[in-house]
Amino acid sequence: MIKILVGSQMGAAEYVAEQVAETMALGGFEAQLQLTPELDQLNDSNSWLVITSTYGAGDLPDNIQPFADRLAQDQPDLTTISFAVITLGDSSYDTFCQAGRTMATLLQQLGARQLLPALEIDVLTEELPEDQALNWLPNYLATLS
């Protein structure tokens, strides 16, 4: 079971996460969206996919910030966790995709293993974020087998 931890302020990252989960299910992978992730709800999975937008001045969206705060405070051992990150941002800001970078750093500090470099999606490009995520998805799925 792959847990998809969603950080979405305006809905774009949530839509990307829904498209990714749907495509994974079609490929025979069991995935579950976590729109308000909580550590005790993730115990049955050792594979996390973080899909988050960047909000404000490089901040995490409101729905995932409490999860990040709890991780930072409780410092759980995440050495059994592997993860990947898809992050959305606006390249006209110097905090482009900072929320995804923040989550990756936090998970690594707690012992989790990043499976491949984060997909950083610039929302200013013409290609739809969900299409970019779906093009990247086979690379992620290949790391799971």
Side-chain angles (χ1 to χ4, degrees):
M1 163 82 69
I2 300 158
K3 299 288 183 155
I4 302 176
L5 287 56
V6 181
S8 190
Q9 195 73 27
M10 305 296 283
E14 183 176 346
Y15 184 72
V16 169
E18 289 168 352
Q19 298 302 304
V20 165
E22 188 176 297
T23 301
M24 290 172 80
L26 291 173
F29 291 88
E30 190 176 353
Q32 184 181 70
L33 294 179
Q34 299 288 314
L35 299 178
T36 53
E38 293 184 27
L39 195 54
D40 58 353
Q41 295 174 346
L42 303 173
N43 292 338
D44 62 340
S45 174
N46 63 358
S47 187
W48 299 353
L49 177 56
V50 178
I51 301 178
T52 188
S53 58
T54 299
Y55 179 70
D59 301 319
L60 290 164
D62 293 342
N63 69 307
I64 200 168
Q65 185 66 58
F67 176 71
D69 291 343
R70 178 149 181 228
L71 288 177
Q73 177 184 339
D74 294 355
Q75 299 281 304
D77 177 1
L78 299 182
T79 54
T80 62
I81 304 297
S82 60
F83 74 95
V85 176
I86 296 174
T87 183
L88 288 74
D90 179 331
S91 63
S92 67
Y93 290 90
D94 59 357
T95 56
F96 174 65
C97 289
Q98 186 57 51
R101 296 172 188 165
T102 297
M103 285 301 299
T105 298
L106 178 59
L107 294 173
Q108 288 173 327
Q109 287 172 344
L110 297 172
R113 182 174 61 95
Q114 189 166 359
L115 294 171
L116 69 170
L119 172 62
E120 294 187 344
I121 297 174
D122 185 352
V123 297
L124 296 181
T125 63
E126 289 187 25
E127 189 177 5
L128 295 172
E130 59 271 22
D131 291 344
Q132 293 179 61
L134 294 178
N135 288 335
W136 171 90
L137 189 58
N139 296 328
Y140 169 64
L141 296 177
T143 68
L144 301 176
S145 42

